[in-house]
Amino acid sequence: MGFLNIFAKSAPAPMMLLPKGSFTVDRDGRVLISTLPQAFPEALVREIADRVLTAFRGAKAAQMPLSELIVRYSSLKLTARELRGGAIIFLVPVTLSGVETSSPEYA
């Protein structure tokens, strides 16, 4: 009967609201400041920061430095700006119509 256990449904992952806010990381990936909800998992913040910093470092190593990185998912827009080795990262939910619910203001 153990064979039938492979068809059993596992516990569903907990539902999470899409994040809305920003955070700043230093060149080592440490979060300096954040406006993200406290319920947003810190592990995801660290992973996002690591991927963004890796992209900026890779571009710099290829002698094609980036100042901004924009990633658009179907329901989330991630905008990152390079800050002297660190980065500021904005997470903005996107509605079903494709319109951002709010947009970071840049100078």
Side-chain angles (χ1 to χ4, degrees), residues 13 15 17-18 21 33-34 41 43-44 51 53 58 60 86 93-94:
M15 292 292 287
L17 291 175
L18 290 173
I33 193 161
S34 173
L44 288 178
R51 302 283 174 119
L53 293 176
K60 187 175 183 178
V94 177

Side-chain angles (χ1 to χ4, degrees), residues 8-72:
K9 291 185 179 180
S10 60
M15 292 292 287
M16 187 173 32
L17 291 175
L18 290 173
K20 179 180 178 182
S22 62
F23 62 100
T24 304
V25 293
D26 65 6
R27 67 183 68 240
D28 298 320
R30 292 185 300 249
V31 177
L32 303 175
I33 193 161
S34 173
T35 63
L36 292 171
Q38 287 183 338
F40 192 69
E42 189 176 328
L44 288 178
V45 172
R46 283 194 304 266
E47 184 167 347
I48 291 169
D50 182 51
R51 302 283 174 119
V52 166
L53 293 176
T54 300
F56 284 138
R57 288 181 190 133
K60 187 175 183 178
Q63 297 181 354
M64 296 177 59
L66 293 173
S67 60
E68 184 174 69
L69 176 68
I70 300 172
V71 179
R72 294 176 196 259

